[in-house]
Amino acid sequence: MTILETIVPVFLMIALGKLLKKINILSDNGISCLKSLSTNVFLPVLAFDTLIHGNFTKDSLVLIALELFILFTAFGLGFLFKRFFSPEINGYVPYAMPTYEGGLFCWALIALLVGQKSDAMFSIVSMDIFSGVFCFTVMATGLKMLAGQSMTKQEITKSIVTNPLIISVVLGFIGAAFHLGDIIDNSSAAGLYTKVTNFFIQPLSPIILICIGSGLVFDMSVLGKGLKLAVFRYILQIVLCIITLAIISATIGLSPALKVALYVYFFAPTSFLLSMYATDKKAIEFTSGFLSLQIIISLIIFSIVSVYAQQIL
């Protein structure tokens, strides 16, 4: 696969999403439905299929421990960074620093580079599920409080245990423990299983990229409002990425594919959950500009990593 074969389709789908939104073929409600379909149906299938074909080992525990360290370190530093932002928006800063938009962004891009059933993809999904749990607990609760809402412990628990993606990940880990992927692949149902899962997984990347394109903002006045926070976050992510790569190299070993996957992962945007709870105009423009700017930068980095991946994979 050439570099252009990897990059061009990504940007075409994003441009298509922007065009479809502009000419009103895609409405806000339609985009919301596509995102819901992706997160509740297509992504759980991808997560389950990836996990049952992986091997959960002591190395996986190291990666999960690193993910938890990254999340809480970035979250804690976010409170220190609040002082550099105006009172109208600084409450969002701690929640903008941690988490990565895996399911609706970087999973699809990483799979394009290292393969859906690769060990590197298994590692990223294993790590990112804890980013998801952080989103549905710490982040969701904090953002709802900023918006003047409340979330009980029962609501938090329900949002976790009924989430299709988290359910699929738990089942995927169980399947991996019993080598379910190998059992299926060596059975008479292997062909049927592959065709069925492909029906769910193959539309995922185009749909996600179209949704991303439809929500991109290119208004410089809006992008500028998120610029300072984007700079803070990317500086922090560079430091965390260097630390993480060093720890992995010194402990479990860093394969070329995992290195490529981590580069894409660390520079993925903050969870899109950030924009869901913004209420007043300043907060909406701030989060919209911040996320759009991150998407643009992340796609540029993905393009650079794609060139690098062609050389080492």
Side-chain angles (χ1 to χ4, degrees), residues 36-116:
S36 180
L37 179 65
S38 297
T39 54
N40 293 304
V41 180
F42 295 155
L43 274 172
V45 175
L46 171 62
F48 178 78
D49 185 58
T50 299
L51 290 173
I52 66 169
H53 285 93
N55 295 307
F56 190 76
T57 63
K58 292 180 180 179
D59 292 355
S60 304
L61 294 176
V62 172
L63 293 172
I64 290 171
L66 280 171
E67 177 77 5
L68 294 173
F69 164 75
I70 291 162
L71 290 171
F72 285 99
T73 298
F75 184 56
L77 289 174
F79 285 96
L80 298 178
F81 296 153
K82 285 177 63 175
R83 69 186 69 180
F84 299 105
F85 298 85
S86 63
E88 297 87 351
I89 57 175
N90 66 8
Y92 293 90
V93 173
Y95 305 100
M97 289 296 154
T99 76
Y100 305 90
E101 186 49 67
L104 285 177
F105 190 85
C106 69
W107 285 16
L109 298 182
I110 291 171
L112 288 174
L113 297 180
V114 302
Q116 171 201 326

Side-chain angles (χ1 to χ4, degrees), residues 5-281:
E5 287 174 346
T6 303
I7 297 173
V8 171
V10 169
F11 285 93
L12 279 177
M13 287 297 102
I14 291 173
L16 178 61
K18 187 68 177 176
L19 175 64
L20 293 177
K21 178 68 184 302
K22 186 173 183 179
I23 61 179
N24 295 319
I25 290 180
L26 267 182
S27 64
D28 289 337
N29 186 55
I31 295 164
S32 178
C33 289
L34 287 176
K35 288 180 179 179
S36 180
L37 179 65
S38 297
T39 54
N40 293 304
V41 180
F42 295 155
L43 274 172
V45 175
L46 171 62
F48 178 78
D49 185 58
T50 299
L51 290 173
I52 66 169
H53 285 93
N55 295 307
F56 190 76
T57 63
K58 292 180 180 179
D59 292 355
S60 304
L61 294 176
V62 172
L63 293 172
I64 290 171
L66 280 171
E67 177 77 5
L68 294 173
F69 164 75
I70 291 162
L71 290 171
F72 285 99
T73 298
F75 184 56
L77 289 174
F79 285 96
L80 298 178
F81 296 153
K82 285 177 63 175
R83 69 186 69 180
F84 299 105
F85 298 85
S86 63
E88 297 87 351
I89 57 175
N90 66 8
Y92 293 90
V93 173
Y95 305 100
M97 289 296 154
T99 76
Y100 305 90
E101 186 49 67
L104 285 177
F105 190 85
C106 69
W107 285 16
L109 298 182
I110 291 171
L112 288 174
L113 297 180
V114 302
Q116 171 201 326
K117 297 180 181 180
S118 65
D119 289 340
M121 189 69 189
F122 173 82
S123 297
I124 292 299
V125 173
S126 302
M127 293 172 65
D128 192 58
I129 188 58
F130 291 91
S131 176
V133 172
F134 188 94
C135 284
F136 290 115
T137 54
V138 178
M139 190 172 182
T141 303
L143 290 173
K144 281 191 173 184
M145 290 174 65
L146 283 175
Q149 304 175 37
S150 60
M151 195 173 184
T152 65
K153 292 181 180 178
Q154 290 78 13
E155 289 174 330
I156 295 172
T157 302
K158 184 179 179 181
S159 71
I160 296 173
V161 300
T162 61
N163 185 283
L165 185 55
I166 293 178
I167 292 171
S168 71
V169 168
V170 172
L171 294 177
F173 278 132
I174 295 172
F178 290 96
H179 305 288
L180 180 60
D182 292 336
I183 294 172
I184 293 174
D185 291 344
N186 294 317
S187 72
S188 59
L192 176 60
Y193 172 83
T194 299
K195 287 189 176 181
V196 171
T197 53
N198 283 344
F199 272 124
F200 285 92
I201 294 170
Q202 288 177 352
L204 182 60
S205 293
I207 289 176
I208 288 175
L209 294 171
I210 286 171
C211 289
I212 289 171
S214 67
L216 272 180
V217 175
F218 293 104
D219 186 334
M220 295 306 297
S221 63
V222 175
L223 290 175
K225 294 177 181 179
L227 178 60
K228 183 163 69 172
L229 183 56
V231 170
F232 271 75
R233 185 174 189 269
Y234 278 115
I235 290 174
L236 176 60
Q237 292 305 317
I238 289 170
V239 173
L240 290 174
C241 182
I242 292 171
I243 293 172
T244 301
L245 294 178
I247 292 174
I248 293 174
S249 296
T251 54
I252 63 177
L254 185 62
S255 68
L258 181 56
K259 184 187 290 187
V260 166
L262 286 170
Y263 283 150
V264 177
Y265 184 67
F266 268 103
F267 298 100
T270 304
S271 170
F272 295 162
L273 194 68
L274 183 70
S275 62
M276 291 176 58
Y277 296 102
T279 51
D280 62 87
K281 183 180 178 181

Side-chain angles (χ1 to χ4, degrees), residues 1 18 87 158 191 200 214 216 241 284 295 299 303 308 313:
M1 181 181 291
K18 187 68 177 176
K158 184 179 179 181
F200 285 92
S214 67
L216 272 180
C241 182
I284 291 171
I295 290 170
L299 289 171
S303 301
Y308 176 65
L313 297 182

